[in-house]
Amino acid sequence: MTSLKNLHDFDKISFQKDLIDWFQKEQRDLPWRKDKDPYKIWVSEIMLQQTRVDTVIPYFNNFIEKFPTVDALAEANEEEVLKAWEGLGYYSRARNLQEAVREVKEKYNSQVPKKKEEIASLKGVGPYTTGAVLSIAFNLPEPAVDGNVMRVLSRILSIWDDIAKSSSRKIFETAVRELISHENPSFFNQALMELGALVCTPTSPSCLLCPVREHCHGFQEGVEDHLPVKTKKKKPRSIQLAAAVLTDQAGRLLIHKRPNKGLLADLWEFPNVELHLSFSDEKARLKDFLKETYHVTANPEHFLCSIEHVFTHLIWNIRVYKGELQTSVTESDKLKLVTIEEITKLAFPVSHQKILKAFLKNSKL
DNA sequence: CATGCGTGGTT
DNA sequence: TAACCAAGCAT
């Protein structure tokens, strides 16, 4: 572990003041900063995981309007919660949040717990979110180390550990425990993150505008552009899929609910199958798949569109066909026929929203 | 501890 | 435009 040698002659008190004073003046007016309701802080922190502030704002406002309290979210249908999360990504966050909120309702009388061990044990609440809720909502001096904090502190303290490694977080937690203001831990943590978002940005940080420039070892050493150290990620692999938009005689569409674990868990989709190299005729493969897997007879023969969808770790290339159902379908929890009206109530991944959009556009012609 | 898990914006 | 990023967590 890094020695954090730069902490020895670090003017902690002056740093805290410069940082917090700047935050008091310059902080953005964000919807989750209107009050200190721990439930709202919690929701915002889950949504903000790996997600930009500008993206989160409308989702947060809509979500809080629909589910204003712990009880409201605990009592909602999962379908409704996923619909409110549709398009935000990382959908297990939504299911974990609802599971955790239900635990808070049952075990803690609908009050978000203040004990670290209790909040940390909730589903979807890891080390960062634990510290964020404890410090921001309850003003307790706990570190909340996210990517911003690691970037900012790696520069200020000239820490050269690779922040892509999961072991590095502890180094920064140690640094925050040493530096955090016990008078205002909430503002201290938020200020570190806000500084990372507004000034100490990943590329071309605005050092000349930085309120803590005089405390920054990275700037003094002229190495701010070389920090943080972060190893590259691997390229995504690509997967070939064939999908079918199938209608019955009433014009209803056949949809399938994805498994409750893994990629896009619990979201709805149009029936689709992976195309391995061994299949040369994708329309025949799709037709066989529908028959074998869903016991559905159909003719997905008219090419509709081709869609590329990029995830963090893989790329879907979907070739989409449309057709008609030729026999009746046995519906279930996982397989449904829905009208265009009904389909809008269900949560679909963006890739399949693109398919629906292409189908609707094509149908009108 | 490395990997799987979304999406849209920037450079 | 491909690469990189944005307030991480579960496994």
Side-chain angles (χ1 to χ4, degrees):
Chain A
M1 170 165 168
T2 301
S3 62
L4 293 175
K5 54 179 166 39
N6 292 328
L7 277 174
H8 283 304
D9 57 331
F10 193 85
D11 188 349
K12 191 166 88 179
I13 301 299
S14 170
F15 172 72
Q16 291 171 348
K17 183 176 191 321
D18 290 341
L19 182 64
I20 290 174
D21 284 355
W22 171 81
F23 181 70
Q24 285 176 327
K25 281 184 213 148
E26 302 293 340
Q27 64 167 301
R28 290 168 291 179
D29 186 12
L30 299 172
W32 45 89
R33 288 178 174 164
K34 283 193 265 186
D35 59 52
K36 296 210 163 189
D37 180 349
Y39 166 71
K40 292 183 200 164
I41 303 291
W42 180 12
V43 170
S44 75
E45 293 300 341
I46 300 299
M47 286 189 169
L48 286 162
Q49 289 169 10
Q50 302 291 283
T51 311
R52 315 176 79 86
V53 165
D54 289 344
T55 302
V56 167
I57 290 172
Y59 281 91
F60 176 83
N61 288 331
N62 177 58
F63 197 89
I64 293 299
E65 189 178 325
K66 283 198 168 60
F67 316 112
T69 62
V70 163
D71 286 354
L73 182 56
E75 290 159 10
N77 301 320
E78 186 195 88
E79 202 76 67
E80 200 184 350
V81 176
L82 284 173
K83 185 65 187 179
W85 211 273
E86 182 186 55
L88 195 53
Y90 290 134
Y91 299 96
S92 64
R93 291 183 296 175
R95 279 177 303 121
N96 290 340
L97 175 60
Q98 194 183 27
E99 183 181 333
V101 157
R102 285 174 171 168
E103 184 176 345
V104 167
K105 175 172 152 71
E106 299 308 318
K107 281 177 70 173
Y108 305 114
N109 191 30
S110 301
Q111 303 297 306
V112 178
K114 288 188 179 184
K115 288 168 71 175
K116 182 166 61 167
E117 295 72 21
E118 290 177 341
I119 189 163
S121 74
L122 295 168
K123 203 67 175 293
V125 178
Y128 164 75
T129 305
T130 299
V133 173
L134 288 175
S135 62
I136 298 171
F138 300 132
N139 209 32
L140 294 167
E142 285 293 324
V145 173
D146 67 345
N148 279 314
V149 172
M150 288 197 282
R151 181 175 62 257
V152 168
L153 288 184
S154 74
R155 288 170 177 162
I156 292 174
L157 300 177
S158 190
I159 295 172
W160 293 79
D161 297 75
D162 181 357
I163 67 166
K165 286 176 161 331
S166 40
S167 57
S168 294
R169 196 195 72 250
K170 290 179 180 299
I171 295 166
F172 293 92
E173 285 178 348
T174 301
V176 171
R177 285 191 190 284
E178 183 65 31
L179 294 178
I180 193 169
S181 162
H182 285 245
E183 284 65 50
N184 200 341
S186 169
F187 274 24
F188 182 89
N189 278 346
Q190 291 186 76
L192 277 183
M193 292 188 275
E194 195 82 341
L195 190 66
L198 300 181
V199 176
C200 195
T201 46
T203 56
S204 55
S206 305
C207 298
L208 298 183
L209 301 176
C210 181
V212 294
R213 182 180 63 241
E214 67 178 69
H215 305 277
C216 185
H217 291 228
F219 179 75
Q220 286 154 17
E221 296 162 10
V223 294
E224 71 276 6
D225 281 327
H226 300 286
L227 288 169
V229 175
K230 190 177 187 182
T231 52
K232 320 251 185 204
K233 288 177 182 170
K234 285 181 289 188
K235 286 185 187 171
R237 62 195 170 87
S238 92
I239 293 180
Q240 312 305 317
L241 299 169
V245 181
L246 302 174
T247 50
D248 70 358
Q249 292 172 337
R252 294 180 300 173
L253 303 174
L254 186 70
I255 60 171
H256 169 249
K257 194 180 178 90
R258 294 177 60 86
N260 67 358
K261 287 191 185 306
L263 183 64
L264 305 168
D266 283 351
L267 270 64
W268 292 89
E269 65 181 2
F270 295 100
N272 64 91
V273 64
E274 182 170 355
L275 298 169
H276 295 102
L277 290 177
S278 52
F279 301 112
S280 51
D281 184 345
E282 59 193 53
K283 284 196 288 191
R285 171 60 185 145
L286 188 54
K287 191 166 180 172
D288 289 350
F289 165 79
L290 292 165
K291 186 70 187 170
E292 291 163 18
T293 307
Y294 299 134
H295 310 293
V296 158
T297 307
N299 63 337
E301 301 193 357
H302 315 287
F303 177 75
L304 181 59
C305 64
S306 188
I307 285 170
E308 180 185 85
H309 190 79
V310 180
F311 298 88
T312 306
H313 57 302
L314 55 86
I315 300 173
W316 274 358
N317 290 106
I318 317 173
R319 296 184 55 79
V320 186
Y321 295 85
K322 65 172 187 172
E324 293 82 40
L325 291 158
Q326 293 165 327
T327 56
S328 67
V329 172
T330 306
E331 294 186 61
S332 67
D333 285 353
K334 300 282 188 189
L335 196 65
K336 279 195 186 318
L337 283 164
V338 292
T339 64
I340 300 300
E341 181 73 30
E342 290 165 337
I343 208 169
T344 64
K345 307 277 189 187
L346 304 173
F348 283 72
V350 169
S351 49
H352 286 251
Q353 292 175 38
K354 291 178 191 167
I355 293 174
L356 177 61
K357 191 173 179 182
F359 174 78
L360 293 175
K361 183 176 178 184
N362 177 278
S363 301
K364 285 176 188 168
L365 298 179

